[in-house]
């Protein structure tokens, strides 16, 4: 076949294409079908004292149920704000820190985003999911699966802080967000407290004849810290159980499927013994970390993120990372991730860092920077 167009004609052709909103794939394939994941998610870290202060001050400004649906200070990834994406921690995940003061309540609503909570400080408050109450304590992980009615009420005496994790970015990208407040404010409550959490603790029982089918949502919705810690203690007693990239780690699961506790947000707790460090790897899924206990750092793409109890940090997709416990006590890192989604879509993939015995060279140390 001959190519007979003059340079001028070819240039005109490209100009016309722009006008008619069509494009030449022979120029642009590499921008669309990239060799590796391309994204706008930067790693970032927030100090607990900063967030806690903002949340406490919000306690003096507004009251949930009266002035606002929820009293939450959310984490804003600066790189995603530049794209106009408000409330994004990663491209898929949101994290907010909710404060409920003694006597307060946050009314019932439901949404198509799925949510998990991780309790940071305080006790005596409960979340009710479809009317079933579960009292929350530090270190517990609570599910409010997509479209379940949920409300929070504080019957204790001290401020209560927890982390909310929702798949805000994912649902926005998929144009699938729905939200509805519960007519009348509060969903009718069932008499049982902590029923789901406790019914599987010492066995599993169901009324004779009841249909028993595996699936979502998980029959447990409060995953107790005590149990997670017990599992991690058991694992960390033998080095054979050590994961080279995540130290001693458990994923919260749905016992009826063996899969993730929530169908879209993955949840994991890692334990690093004093001085323990991991090797670097990277994977498609992104994560938001919360430091339950300990002091150390995570190297993300050559940058050192120093963390201490209460801090939060972003692990972007496809980013080399390794963790180090620099303290004299055990470190516990809780994280939410979008791995269940990547796995369902058959997009999850990972790689291990081969050089330097799996340790990255630290090129800089992260400093939080206000946007000016
Ligand atoms: O507690 O239901 O941080 O609906 C964001 C959205 C918390 C909640 C958030 C929510 C909630």
């Amino acid at each position: 076949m001959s190519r007979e167009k003059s340079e001028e004609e070819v240039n005109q052709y490209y100009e016309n294409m722009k006008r008619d909103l069509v494009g030449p794939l022979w120029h642009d394939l590499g921008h669309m079908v990239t060799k590796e994941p391309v994204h706008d998610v930067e790693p970032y870290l927030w100090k607990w004292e900063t967030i806690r202060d903002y949340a406490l001050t919000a306690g003096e400004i507004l009251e949930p149920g009266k002035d606002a649906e929820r009293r939450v200070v959310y984490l804003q990834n600066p790189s995603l704000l530049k794209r106009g994406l408000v409330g994004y921690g990663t491209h898929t995940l949101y994290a907010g820190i909710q404060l409920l003061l003694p006597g307060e309540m946050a009314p019932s609503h439901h949404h198509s985003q799925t949510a998990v909570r991780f309790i940071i400080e305080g006790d005596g408050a409960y979340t009710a999911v479809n009317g079933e109450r579960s009292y929350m304590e530090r270190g517990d992980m609570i599910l409010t699966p997509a479209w379940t009615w949920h409300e929070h009420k504080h019957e204790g005496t001290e401020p209560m802080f927890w982390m909310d994790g929702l798949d805000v970015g994912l649902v926005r990208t998929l144009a699938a967000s729905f939200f509805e407040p519960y007519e009348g404010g509060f969903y009718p409550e069932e008499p049982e407290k902590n029923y789901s959490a406790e019914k599987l603790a010492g066995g599993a029982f169901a009324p004779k004849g009841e249909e028993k089918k595996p699936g979502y949502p998980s029959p447990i919705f409060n995953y107790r810290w005590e149990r997670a810690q017990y599992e991690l203690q058991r694992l960390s007693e033998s080095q054979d159980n050590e994961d080279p990239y995540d130290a001693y780690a458990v994923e919260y699961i749905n016992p009826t499927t063996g899969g993730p506790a929530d169908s879209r947000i993955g949840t994991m707790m890692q334990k690093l013994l004093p001085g323990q460090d991991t090797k670097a790897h990277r994977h498609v899924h992104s994560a938001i970390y919360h430091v339950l206990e300990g002091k150390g750092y995570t190297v993300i793409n050559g940058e050192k993120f120093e963390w201490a109890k209460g801090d939060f940090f972003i692990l972007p997709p496809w980013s080399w990372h390794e963790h180090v416990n620099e303290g004299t006590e055990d470190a516990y890192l809780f994280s939410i991730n979008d791995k269940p989604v990547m796995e369902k879509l058959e997009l999850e993939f990972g790689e291990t860092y081969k050089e330097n015995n799996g340790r990255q060279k630290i090129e800089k140390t992260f400093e939080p920077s206000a946007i000016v």
Side-chain angles (χ1 to χ4, degrees):
M1 208 182 80
S2 60
R3 295 179 187 83
E4 295 166 346
K5 296 281 186 203
S6 69
E7 199 182 320
E8 200 179 319
E9 284 173 315
V10 170
N11 289 342
Q12 189 59 54
Y13 167 82
Y14 286 124
E15 282 308 308
N16 292 349
M17 282 186 111
K18 279 186 199 154
R19 184 195 63 206
D20 289 324
L21 297 166
V22 290
L25 183 65
W26 54 96
H27 286 176
D28 299 324
L29 179 62
H31 296 294
M32 299 176 206
V33 183
T34 58
K35 289 192 174 136
E36 287 186 7
V38 168
H39 60 84
D40 304 310
V41 188
E42 278 174 19
Y44 203 81
L45 181 142
W46 294 262
K47 299 304 291 177
W48 171 237
E49 302 77 55
T50 309
I51 302 169
R52 191 177 186 278
D53 273 4
Y54 276 116
L56 276 176
T57 304
E60 297 167 15
I61 299 175
L62 61 124
E63 189 180 335
K66 290 207 175 105
D67 314 302
E69 189 76 14
R70 298 287 188 263
R71 184 198 288 121
V72 177
V73 172
Y74 64 79
L75 306 181
Q76 176 64 56
N77 190 319
S79 65
L80 295 167
L81 187 62
K82 281 184 207 148
R83 300 226 160 227
L85 301 173
V86 174
Y88 280 58
T90 77
H91 58 318
T92 54
L93 296 168
Y94 154 105
I97 289 69
Q98 185 156 174
L99 168 67
L100 206 59
L101 295 171
E104 289 183 337
M105 45 187 94
S108 187
H109 67 205
H110 66 180
H111 37 69
S112 50
Q113 288 80 3
T114 195
V116 305
R117 293 171 220 292
F118 188 78
I119 312 311
I120 298 172
E121 204 181 299
D123 57 25
Y126 67 81
T127 287
V129 180
N130 286 343
E132 186 186 327
R133 276 171 281 173
S134 186
Y135 284 87
M136 307 182 282
E137 290 175 26
R138 179 175 155 73
D140 291 351
M141 196 284 288
I142 286 103
L143 304 179
T144 55
W147 213 240
T148 53
W149 295 105
H150 54 281
E151 64 200 49
H152 317 297
K153 217 173 211 169
H154 196 349
E155 296 176 346
T157 55
E158 300 297 321
M160 180 113 188
F161 297 86
W162 64 82
M163 165 190 176
D164 299 312
L166 281 79
D167 53 352
V168 167
L170 175 73
V171 172
R172 169 69 208 265
T173 298
L174 298 177
S177 178
F178 292 93
F179 169 89
E180 206 176 34
Y182 188 74
E183 195 95 26
F186 295 92
Y187 191 88
E189 288 193 2
E190 291 175 7
E192 297 94 339
K193 297 174 198 162
N194 299 330
Y195 173 70
S196 296
E198 279 154 20
K199 83 174 167 189
L200 296 177
F205 308 93
K208 184 165 177 269
E210 185 179 273
E211 196 186 356
K212 302 160 195 78
K213 56 173 194 225
Y216 287 100
S218 171
I220 303 173
F221 73 87
N222 189 340
Y223 290 72
R224 298 288 185 188
W225 169 229
E226 206 181 74
R227 288 284 307 148
Q229 197 174 23
Y230 174 83
E231 278 304 313
L232 286 165
Q233 177 56 36
R234 205 176 57 82
L235 285 178
S236 63
E237 277 162 15
S238 165
Q239 253 186 325
D240 294 346
N241 298 322
E242 186 178 353
D243 180 286
Y245 313 102
D246 290 315
Y248 299 101
V250 289
E251 292 180 300
Y252 297 73
I253 64 161
N254 173 341
T256 74
T257 62
D262 181 76
S263 70
R264 299 202 299 256
I265 298 183
T267 40
M268 178 162 77
M269 180 70 79
Q270 291 166 244
K271 175 180 183 175
L272 285 93
L273 303 176
Q276 189 173 9
D277 63 346
T278 67
K279 293 185 175 189
H281 72 162
R282 62 179 175 181
H283 37 62
V284 169
H285 67 272
S286 66
I288 304 179
Y289 272 81
H290 168 67
V291 182
L292 178 66
E293 291 285 344
K295 187 178 168 319
Y297 64 89
T298 296
V299 186
I300 305 175
N301 288 339
E303 187 172 0
K304 184 179 184 183
F305 289 80
E306 294 169 306
W307 42 254
K309 182 174 172 170
D311 296 349
F312 292 84
F313 62 91
I314 300 291
L315 176 67
W318 205 237
S319 302
W320 296 116
H321 60 283
E322 72 215 55
H323 310 287
V324 181
N325 177 358
E326 278 192 305
T328 51
E329 306 286 330
D330 295 336
Y332 291 98
L333 304 175
F334 173 75
S335 58
I336 60 171
N337 62 61
D338 50 16
K339 188 164 65 135
V341 173
M342 299 307 169
E343 286 180 340
K344 274 188 202 136
L345 300 180
E346 297 174 7
L347 292 168
E348 180 60 3
F349 181 70
E351 239 175 37
T352 60
Y353 192 81
K354 299 282 187 330
E355 292 123 64
N356 196 26
N357 194 29
R359 271 71 175 186
Q360 300 171 74
K361 208 156 103 204
I362 298 172
E363 280 150 8
K364 58 176 173 172
T365 298
F366 171 82
E367 293 286 347
S369 56
I371 293 187
V372 279

